[in-house]
Amino acid sequence: MKKIVSIALTVALMAAVVTGCGSDKGAAAGGASGIDSAALADGVLTVGTNAEFPPFEYLGDNGEPDGFDMALIKAIGEELGVEVVVENMEFDSLVSAIGSKIDVAIAGMTVTDERKQSVDFSESYYNAVQHVLVPIDSTIATYDDLKGKTIGCQLGTTGDFIIEEIEGATSQQYNKAVDAVNDLANGRLDAVIIDSNPAGVFASKYPDKIKDLDGADFDFEIEEYAIALPKGDTALQEAVNVAIKKLKDNGTFDKLVDQYMQ
Ligand code: GLN
């Protein structure tokens, strides 16, 4: 008897699940979101970041990732109707983790042709340029002055790629950019190359030791930050782009800029 009841219940449940999903393929693939994306099938958007890049991402007082990117992706998750779960990992692992450990990555990540071979990107949401941090008494002021120097950076970043191109320069790669900045302050490096906003945040820790030079004086190109997405998941890409546009149009995006940027 018990068994029959349980079988009946199982059948009823299965019927409910099938009806719940409906006949729309999109709803089935994207879970509750109704977006035809395999990444959203479980109703969760698992987001990789590297919480070492203030003001875009850093560990808040409660030990959880906080910052502009975190607030932005949570707002995007709300628009998509999915839960956002953040995985904090090394920056250099983010691109390869998309599609396995994580669904997408947001990490002040610059759109590059090389990364585009492995992932797709959302519309860009922020522009930046590399800055050069140097000791306060340094004479470094132009691109040529960087030749032959020992320069710190975060491993696998666009700053790292720039150093590779500088004649005779040695790239000292760190997992955390803050460690490069600490070594600069302690006299172990000639310079650090890092994105504009984090450069400002880190340099302000050492106002008597470090100066923050604008990449424009070094002819560095403008970089565009975007969310890295699984390659070929156009439904997710479109949904994320629509969400970004909506958040820009309704003023949410500007509010986050005011809240998080210095
Ligand atoms: N914008 C740089 C890049 O994409 C640095 C990003 C970071 O360190 N989080 O490589």
Side-chain angles (χ1 to χ4, degrees), residues 70-114:
M70 297 300 98
L72 179 62
I73 198 69
K74 281 178 192 155
I76 290 172
E78 263 178 46
E79 291 298 325
L80 303 188
V82 292
E83 187 192 341
V84 170
V85 172
V86 176
E87 292 285 337
N88 190 18
M89 52 208 297
E90 281 179 11
F91 182 80
D92 202 34
S93 316
L94 287 169
V95 165
S96 61
I98 291 175
S100 54
K101 266 185 157 172
I102 54 175
D103 296 320
V104 303
I106 187 164
M109 189 181 286
T110 304
V111 178
T112 68
D113 287 341
E114 202 197 333

Side-chain angles (χ1 to χ4, degrees), residues 53 57 91 107-110 115 130 154 156-158 195 223 225:
F53 197 66
E57 40 270 327
F91 182 80
M109 189 181 286
T110 304
R115 290 174 183 158
Q130 296 299 306
Q154 180 164 9
T157 59
T158 43
D195 303 47
E223 300 183 14
Y225 292 171

Side-chain angles (χ1 to χ4, degrees), residues 157-195:
T157 59
T158 43
D160 193 2
F161 307 149
I162 284 177
I163 301 168
E164 268 172 34
E165 302 291 316
I166 301 172
E167 207 183 292
T170 306
S171 179
Q172 290 278 351
Q173 301 158 317
Y174 296 77
N175 279 324
K176 298 180 184 185
V178 68
D179 291 339
V181 178
N182 291 337
D183 271 2
L184 180 70
N186 293 327
R188 296 198 192 99
L189 296 170
D190 297 313
V192 167
I193 297 188
I194 183 168
D195 303 47

Side-chain angles (χ1 to χ4, degrees), residues 216-229:
D217 299 331
F218 294 79
D219 292 330
F220 294 152
E221 284 172 8
I222 299 291
E223 300 183 14
E224 296 187 339
Y225 292 171
I227 301 166
L229 306 164

Side-chain angles (χ1 to χ4, degrees), residues 36-49:
D36 187 10
S37 160
L40 303 183
D42 53 0
V44 177
L45 184 67
T46 308
V47 178
T49 195

